[in-house]
PDB file of all heavy atoms in Angstrom:
ATOM      1  N   SER B 395      11.523  -7.322  21.979  1.00  0.00           N
ATOM      2  CA  SER B 395      11.823  -6.502  23.142  1.00  0.00           C
ATOM      3  C   SER B 395      10.592  -6.468  24.072  1.00  0.00           C
ATOM      4  O   SER B 395       9.550  -5.964  23.641  1.00  0.00           O
ATOM      5  CB  SER B 395      12.188  -5.087  22.711  1.00  0.00           C
ATOM      6  OG  SER B 395      12.007  -4.218  23.836  1.00  0.00           O
ATOM      7  N   ASN B 396      10.730  -6.982  25.257  1.00  0.00           N
ATOM      8  CA  ASN B 396       9.626  -6.949  26.223  1.00  0.00           C
ATOM      9  C   ASN B 396       9.361  -5.546  26.623  1.00  0.00           C
ATOM     10  O   ASN B 396       8.219  -5.122  26.857  1.00  0.00           O
ATOM     11  CB  ASN B 396       9.979  -7.759  27.466  1.00  0.00           C
ATOM     12  CG  ASN B 396       9.837  -9.238  27.167  1.00  0.00           C
ATOM     13  OD1 ASN B 396       8.885  -9.670  26.522  1.00  0.00           O
ATOM     14  ND2 ASN B 396      10.762 -10.010  27.654  1.00  0.00           N
ATOM     15  N   HIS B 397      10.442  -4.758  26.732  1.00  0.00           N
ATOM     16  CA  HIS B 397      10.306  -3.397  27.205  1.00  0.00           C
ATOM     17  C   HIS B 397       9.486  -2.547  26.201  1.00  0.00           C
ATOM     18  O   HIS B 397       8.583  -1.799  26.562  1.00  0.00           O
ATOM     19  CB  HIS B 397      11.682  -2.819  27.413  1.00  0.00           C
ATOM     20  CG  HIS B 397      11.634  -1.396  27.904  1.00  0.00           C
ATOM     21  ND1 HIS B 397      11.170  -1.045  29.137  1.00  0.00           N
ATOM     22  CD2 HIS B 397      12.028  -0.233  27.298  1.00  0.00           C
ATOM     23  CE1 HIS B 397      11.225   0.253  29.297  1.00  0.00           C
ATOM     24  NE2 HIS B 397      11.761   0.789  28.181  1.00  0.00           N
ATOM     25  N   HIS B 398       9.862  -2.671  24.943  1.00  0.00           N
ATOM     26  CA  HIS B 398       9.211  -1.837  23.899  1.00  0.00           C
ATOM     27  C   HIS B 398       8.025  -2.556  23.249  1.00  0.00           C
ATOM     28  O   HIS B 398       7.358  -1.959  22.424  1.00  0.00           O
ATOM     29  CB  HIS B 398      10.228  -1.451  22.835  1.00  0.00           C
ATOM     30  CG  HIS B 398      11.224  -0.523  23.307  1.00  0.00           C
ATOM     31  ND1 HIS B 398      11.042   0.856  23.255  1.00  0.00           N
ATOM     32  CD2 HIS B 398      12.444  -0.685  23.870  1.00  0.00           C
ATOM     33  CE1 HIS B 398      12.134   1.486  23.771  1.00  0.00           C
ATOM     34  NE2 HIS B 398      12.972   0.543  24.133  1.00  0.00           N
ATOM     35  N   LYS B 399       7.840  -3.764  23.606  1.00  0.00           N
ATOM     36  CA  LYS B 399       6.776  -4.583  22.980  1.00  0.00           C
ATOM     37  C   LYS B 399       6.898  -4.544  21.461  1.00  0.00           C
ATOM     38  O   LYS B 399       5.976  -4.188  20.735  1.00  0.00           O
ATOM     39  CB  LYS B 399       5.390  -4.134  23.440  1.00  0.00           C
ATOM     40  CG  LYS B 399       5.218  -4.062  24.927  1.00  0.00           C
ATOM     41  CD  LYS B 399       3.966  -4.767  25.376  1.00  0.00           C
ATOM     42  CE  LYS B 399       3.785  -4.803  26.894  1.00  0.00           C
ATOM     43  NZ  LYS B 399       4.889  -5.488  27.589  1.00  0.00           N
ATOM     44  N   CYS B 400       8.101  -4.846  21.015  1.00  0.00           N
ATOM     45  CA  CYS B 400       8.381  -4.791  19.585  1.00  0.00           C
ATOM     46  C   CYS B 400       8.958  -6.106  19.112  1.00  0.00           C
ATOM     47  O   CYS B 400       9.847  -6.671  19.753  1.00  0.00           O
ATOM     48  CB  CYS B 400       9.422  -3.710  19.302  1.00  0.00           C
ATOM     49  SG  CYS B 400       8.649  -2.150  18.952  1.00  0.00           S
ATOM     50  N   LEU B 401       8.514  -6.527  17.969  1.00  0.00           N
ATOM     51  CA  LEU B 401       9.121  -7.664  17.291  1.00  0.00           C
ATOM     52  C   LEU B 401       9.983  -7.099  16.170  1.00  0.00           C
ATOM     53  O   LEU B 401       9.579  -6.231  15.420  1.00  0.00           O
ATOM     54  CB  LEU B 401       8.049  -8.559  16.671  1.00  0.00           C
ATOM     55  CG  LEU B 401       8.582  -9.706  15.782  1.00  0.00           C
ATOM     56  CD1 LEU B 401       9.236 -10.771  16.641  1.00  0.00           C
ATOM     57  CD2 LEU B 401       7.435 -10.330  14.994  1.00  0.00           C
ATOM     58  N   GLN B 402      11.217  -7.616  16.133  1.00  0.00           N
ATOM     59  CA  GLN B 402      12.120  -7.098  15.097  1.00  0.00           C
ATOM     60  C   GLN B 402      12.596  -8.273  14.252  1.00  0.00           C
ATOM     61  O   GLN B 402      13.096  -9.265  14.753  1.00  0.00           O
ATOM     62  CB  GLN B 402      13.314  -6.449  15.783  1.00  0.00           C
ATOM     63  CG  GLN B 402      14.119  -5.586  14.840  1.00  0.00           C
ATOM     64  CD  GLN B 402      15.338  -5.010  15.563  1.00  0.00           C
ATOM     65  OE1 GLN B 402      16.223  -5.752  15.949  1.00  0.00           O
ATOM     66  NE2 GLN B 402      15.335  -3.739  15.758  1.00  0.00           N
ATOM     67  N   TRP B 403      12.404  -8.110  12.950  1.00  0.00           N
ATOM     68  CA  TRP B 403      12.882  -9.165  12.011  1.00  0.00           C
ATOM     69  C   TRP B 403      13.919  -8.528  11.135  1.00  0.00           C
ATOM     70  O   TRP B 403      13.736  -7.443  10.611  1.00  0.00           O
ATOM     71  CB  TRP B 403      11.679  -9.622  11.157  1.00  0.00           C
ATOM     72  CG  TRP B 403      12.057 -10.603  10.085  1.00  0.00           C
ATOM     73  CD1 TRP B 403      12.320 -11.936  10.280  1.00  0.00           C
ATOM     74  CD2 TRP B 403      12.125 -10.366   8.668  1.00  0.00           C
ATOM     75  NE1 TRP B 403      12.600 -12.534   9.066  1.00  0.00           N
ATOM     76  CE2 TRP B 403      12.508 -11.597   8.079  1.00  0.00           C
ATOM     77  CE3 TRP B 403      11.949  -9.244   7.870  1.00  0.00           C
ATOM     78  CZ2 TRP B 403      12.670 -11.730   6.715  1.00  0.00           C
ATOM     79  CZ3 TRP B 403      12.131  -9.379   6.512  1.00  0.00           C
ATOM     80  CH2 TRP B 403      12.493 -10.596   5.932  1.00  0.00           C
ATOM     81  N   GLN B 404      15.047  -9.230  11.010  1.00  0.00           N
ATOM     82  CA  GLN B 404      16.157  -8.695  10.186  1.00  0.00           C
ATOM     83  C   GLN B 404      16.583  -9.692   9.149  1.00  0.00           C
ATOM     84  O   GLN B 404      16.676 -10.894   9.402  1.00  0.00           O
ATOM     85  CB  GLN B 404      17.344  -8.349  11.089  1.00  0.00           C
ATOM     86  CG  GLN B 404      17.025  -7.133  11.982  1.00  0.00           C
ATOM     87  CD  GLN B 404      18.245  -6.644  12.728  1.00  0.00           C
ATOM     88  OE1 GLN B 404      19.023  -7.434  13.252  1.00  0.00           O
ATOM     89  NE2 GLN B 404      18.414  -5.337  12.744  1.00  0.00           N
ATOM     90  N   LEU B 405      16.834  -9.188   7.981  1.00  0.00           N
ATOM     91  CA  LEU B 405      17.271 -10.020   6.873  1.00  0.00           C
ATOM     92  C   LEU B 405      18.580  -9.421   6.338  1.00  0.00           C
ATOM     93  O   LEU B 405      18.643  -8.262   5.992  1.00  0.00           O
ATOM     94  CB  LEU B 405      16.217  -9.992   5.756  1.00  0.00           C
ATOM     95  CG  LEU B 405      16.481 -10.878   4.538  1.00  0.00           C
ATOM     96  CD1 LEU B 405      16.391 -12.338   4.931  1.00  0.00           C
ATOM     97  CD2 LEU B 405      15.521 -10.570   3.438  1.00  0.00           C
ATOM     98  N   THR B 406      19.618 -10.254   6.337  1.00  0.00           N
ATOM     99  CA  THR B 406      20.891  -9.772   5.818  1.00  0.00           C
ATOM    100  C   THR B 406      20.857  -9.826   4.274  1.00  0.00           C
ATOM    101  O   THR B 406      20.422 -10.818   3.689  1.00  0.00           O
ATOM    102  CB  THR B 406      22.052 -10.690   6.310  1.00  0.00           C
ATOM    103  OG1 THR B 406      21.976 -10.692   7.739  1.00  0.00           O
ATOM    104  CG2 THR B 406      23.384 -10.167   5.860  1.00  0.00           C
ATOM    105  N   LEU B 407      21.291  -8.742   3.670  1.00  0.00           N
ATOM    106  CA  LEU B 407      21.248  -8.678   2.232  1.00  0.00           C
ATOM    107  C   LEU B 407      22.670  -8.775   1.694  1.00  0.00           C
ATOM    108  O   LEU B 407      23.632  -8.449   2.399  1.00  0.00           O
ATOM    109  CB  LEU B 407      20.669  -7.327   1.772  1.00  0.00           C
ATOM    110  CG  LEU B 407      19.318  -6.944   2.397  1.00  0.00           C
ATOM    111  CD1 LEU B 407      18.994  -5.524   2.066  1.00  0.00           C
ATOM    112  CD2 LEU B 407      18.208  -7.849   1.907  1.00  0.00           C
ATOM    113  N   VAL B 408      22.784  -9.267   0.492  1.00  0.00           N
ATOM    114  CA  VAL B 408      24.070  -9.308  -0.158  1.00  0.00           C
ATOM    115  C   VAL B 408      24.519  -7.863  -0.358  1.00  0.00           C
ATOM    116  O   VAL B 408      23.738  -7.037  -0.793  1.00  0.00           O
ATOM    117  CB  VAL B 408      23.995 -10.027  -1.506  1.00  0.00           C
ATOM    118  CG1 VAL B 408      25.357 -10.056  -2.207  1.00  0.00           C
ATOM    119  CG2 VAL B 408      23.465 -11.443  -1.297  1.00  0.00           C
ATOM    120  N   ALA B 409      25.780  -7.547  -0.032  1.00  0.00           N
ATOM    121  CA  ALA B 409      26.240  -6.165  -0.157  1.00  0.00           C
ATOM    122  C   ALA B 409      26.006  -5.656  -1.587  1.00  0.00           C
ATOM    123  O   ALA B 409      26.423  -6.262  -2.558  1.00  0.00           O
ATOM    124  CB  ALA B 409      27.713  -6.104   0.152  1.00  0.00           C
ATOM    125  N   GLY B 410      25.297  -4.544  -1.633  1.00  0.00           N
ATOM    126  CA  GLY B 410      24.918  -4.039  -2.970  1.00  0.00           C
ATOM    127  C   GLY B 410      25.994  -3.160  -3.590  1.00  0.00           C
ATOM    128  O   GLY B 410      26.779  -2.534  -2.905  1.00  0.00           O
ATOM    129  N   ASP B 411      26.017  -3.140  -4.901  1.00  0.00           N
ATOM    130  CA  ASP B 411      26.952  -2.252  -5.592  1.00  0.00           C
ATOM    131  C   ASP B 411      26.278  -0.868  -5.696  1.00  0.00           C
ATOM    132  O   ASP B 411      25.174  -0.661  -5.221  1.00  0.00           O
ATOM    133  CB  ASP B 411      27.350  -2.788  -6.955  1.00  0.00           C
ATOM    134  CG  ASP B 411      26.095  -3.129  -7.778  1.00  0.00           C
ATOM    135  OD1 ASP B 411      25.029  -2.652  -7.398  1.00  0.00           O
ATOM    136  OD2 ASP B 411      26.230  -3.866  -8.765  1.00  0.00           O
ATOM    137  N   GLN B 412      26.969   0.037  -6.338  1.00  0.00           N
ATOM    138  CA  GLN B 412      26.475   1.386  -6.429  1.00  0.00           C
ATOM    139  C   GLN B 412      25.084   1.406  -7.102  1.00  0.00           C
ATOM    140  O   GLN B 412      24.192   2.123  -6.667  1.00  0.00           O
ATOM    141  CB  GLN B 412      27.485   2.201  -7.254  1.00  0.00           C
ATOM    142  CG  GLN B 412      27.127   3.699  -7.372  1.00  0.00           C
ATOM    143  CD  GLN B 412      27.073   4.397  -6.033  1.00  0.00           C
ATOM    144  OE1 GLN B 412      27.810   4.059  -5.128  1.00  0.00           O
ATOM    145  NE2 GLN B 412      26.222   5.405  -5.927  1.00  0.00           N
TER     146      GLN B 412
END
Side-chain angles (χ1 to χ4, degrees):
Chain B
S395 160
N396 283 318
H397 179 68
H398 291 272
K399 307 229 176 299
C400 270
L401 172 71
Q402 194 183 68
W403 176 76
Q404 291 189 316
L405 183 69
T406 304
L407 309 170
V408 178
D411 53 16
Q412 183 62 30

